[in-house]
Amino acid sequence: MTTATIAGAEVQIDDEGFLTDATEWTEDIARQLAANIGIELTDRHWDMIRFIRDDYAANGVTPGTRRVQASGGFATKEQFELFPKKPQKKSAYIAGVPKPAGCV
Amino acid sequence: MTATLTETAPIPSFGNEEETDRKLVIICSKGSLDMAYPGLVLANAALGEGIETHLFFTFWGFDMITEKTMDHLKFSPLGNPATHMPNFVMGLPGMTSFATHMMKAQIEGLDLPEVREFLELITDAGGHLWACRMSADMMHLEEKDLFDRVEGIINASDFIEIAEGAQTLFI
């Protein structure tokens, strides 16, 4: 376990830089993480990040693309527009939750 | 576990922001329910990794993209030793629909989409669907008989062109 300072807060991260404790996440951290990977957060990004965080808090599992579409209302195309190329991993990184474990 | 302090947090590379030239082509040649999924799952995963992905449907794989059949793929346990059941049982009448029903329940239980929805997901994610010219001719099918997201019926040399530089899987 590594501790790092992100946006002025001390948080636990894994080798890749993903937060390992979702409760340490703050909006400032999200802004910093998004900037790290070249994403400027719009309202729609925040909506999706909040859905992912709420769903993770409720189920203990990071939702996959299909769940974000079916339950969150973010069409697959939109997910790819918001978080280009790798929507699942990028959104999980910014939302401070683990990478999705499932295959779909 | 001891905590070590680092000055700066690493940033995931996400496979480099540069345009990746990795490309995946999956040839889907089977029309049974159990053999439809490997290609669909891998295509979806590849797209989620930002990889250009093409699915090419040929022979029995046409059942996955033909409007009439794509929602009714079946699983037959007959002659499949991996079911660990004797063939004389698996050959009994009604066994295919029973096994199909069981498999569909499992697929749903895993929260996996059905074939049609899976193909929608894949194309929404930027994946390409192609149908094989020879199979279409053999089965007397035209574009109007196929799932509307199939981009075209293409011949073998068109396919070879598309597959240039791609990792190719035959399923």
Side-chain angles (χ1 to χ4, degrees), chain B residues 157-168:
Chain B
S157 48
D158 294 334
F159 168 74
I160 295 298
E161 262 182 29
I162 288 171
E164 185 183 349
Q167 292 170 311
T168 306

Side-chain angles (χ1 to χ4, degrees), chain A residues 86, chain B residues 19-24 46 49-53 165-167:
Chain A
K86 302 190 180 189
Chain B
E19 205 60 35
T20 171
D21 59 356
R22 195 168 162 196
K23 184 170 162 185
L24 180 67
E49 288 297 305
I51 295 168
E52 179 184 334
T53 304
Q167 292 170 311

Side-chain angles (χ1 to χ4, degrees), chain B residues 136-148:
Chain B
D137 291 348
M138 279 177 72
M139 298 178 197
H140 306 290
L141 292 169
E142 298 168 41
E143 273 188 36
K144 65 172 172 50
D145 302 311
L146 305 178
F147 181 45
D148 60 6

Side-chain angles (χ1 to χ4, degrees), chain B residues 21-41:
Chain B
D21 59 356
R22 195 168 162 196
K23 184 170 162 185
L24 180 67
V25 167
I26 303 175
I27 303 170
C28 299
S29 73
K30 300 284 200 294
S32 59
L33 186 61
D34 52 325
M35 291 308 283
Y37 275 84
L40 297 173
V41 171

Side-chain angles (χ1 to χ4, degrees), chain A residues 66, chain B residues 33-34 37 100-115 118:
Chain A
R66 184 183 178 229
Chain B
L33 186 61
D34 52 325
Y37 275 84
T100 300
H101 177 77
M102 295 297 285
M103 183 168 278
K104 282 198 163 174
Q106 280 185 322
I107 288 168
E108 206 187 312
L110 288 173
D111 210 20
L112 280 171
E114 294 206 24
V115 172
F118 221 146

Side-chain angles (χ1 to χ4, degrees), chain B residues 60-129:
Chain B
W60 314 125
F62 249 63
D63 276 8
M64 293 172 67
I65 49 163
T66 302
E67 275 294 340
K68 235 162 111 184
T69 52
M70 62 189 292
D71 298 316
H72 312 287
L73 300 188
K74 291 188 168 48
F75 166 59
S76 171
L78 187 62
N80 182 354
T83 60
H84 308 294
M85 296 287 277
N87 267 334
F88 72 90
V89 176
M90 291 308 168
L92 291 174
M95 200 47 86
T96 296
S97 52
F98 171 72
T100 300
H101 177 77
M102 295 297 285
M103 183 168 278
K104 282 198 163 174
Q106 280 185 322
I107 288 168
E108 206 187 312
L110 288 173
D111 210 20
L112 280 171
E114 294 206 24
V115 172
R116 181 186 295 272
E117 193 199 331
F118 221 146
L119 290 171
E120 284 168 0
L121 261 181
I122 286 168
T123 47
D124 280 346
H128 303 276
L129 311 179

Side-chain angles (χ1 to χ4, degrees), chain A residues 52-66:
Chain A
I52 289 171
R53 285 191 56 80
D54 291 347
D55 200 64
Y56 176 76
N59 301 307
V61 184
T62 304
T65 311
R66 184 183 178 229

